[in-house]
Structures are given as C-alpha cells and as structure tokens.
Amino acid sequence: MSRPPKLDLAAIVAAATPPARKSADIVQLDVPAPRPKPAATLKERARQMSVYLEPPVYDQLRDLAHTERTKMHALMLEALDLLFKQRGARSIEQINEAEGR
C-alpha cells in the first residue's frame, strides 16, 4: 500500500499565495475626497441652548403657543427677532440669507 506524498507547508503556502504583481499592474485612481454632506435638519445644524423660565412664565408661553396654534420654539424665535431689531442687529432672516440658508 502506497502512502500519499507528505504535505510540505512551504509548498501549500506557495500554492495559496497569489503571484506577485508588478508595479505597472497597479492602477491609481484620482478620486476626489468626498465632500461633507450639509446637515439636513435644523437639529443637526443648530446649537442647542437651554432657557430656564419660572413656571408662570413658562405657562404663559405655553398658553400663547396653544392659543395661536404654534410651537413655543416659533414664539421664542419671534421674540429673538424682535430683540435683534430693537437693538439694531440683523434679523434672523437676514442672518440666514447671508449664510445661504
């Protein structure tokens, strides 16, 4: 009974290794770096700021928002816009136009 040939580790590794490539075989692609995606939502673009309100002030703001069928956030932006105009600063709309939004 004949024995199968003895396996040689070096021969197995040599058979499994792909042939070496020449430097001329390597193709360089000039792909520009991906541009960062602009933030899609206000939450992604904006900075969050906390405002601490006394309960009666908060309640009044909430009641105004409910009566006007709007959000408290919209009323806060309206208040900031009025403050900016009163102080001679650019309005929120002007700021956003200058930023291209």
Side-chain angles (χ1 to χ4, degrees):
M1 201 166 176
S2 69
R3 298 174 104 189
K6 187 174 180 183
L7 296 177
D8 178 18
L9 182 59
I12 294 171
V13 171
T17 305
R21 294 182 144 223
K22 297 178 184 174
S23 61
D25 292 344
I26 298 174
V27 177
Q28 291 286 338
L29 297 178
D30 293 327
V31 178
R35 287 183 278 156
K37 293 181 181 178
T41 66
L42 177 62
K43 186 174 181 178
E44 293 170 343
R45 289 190 317 266
R47 292 188 182 185
Q48 184 176 358
M49 183 180 120
S50 297
V51 177
Y52 293 94
L53 304 173
E54 293 289 342
V57 175
Y58 176 84
D59 292 342
Q60 182 168 299
L61 181 62
R62 185 193 63 219
D63 292 345
L64 275 172
H66 177 75
T67 301
E68 296 182 14
R69 299 289 191 253
T70 189
K71 296 186 178 198
M72 293 169 60
H73 180 263
L75 293 177
M76 293 295 291
L77 289 178
E78 181 182 342
L80 284 172
D81 207 34
L82 289 171
L83 174 70
F84 293 158
K85 288 176 184 176
Q86 186 181 34
R87 298 288 204 278
R90 295 181 299 164
S91 69
I92 292 174
E93 183 179 352
Q94 291 168 332
I95 294 169
N96 286 335
E97 285 174 0
E99 293 291 319
R101 296 196 176 153

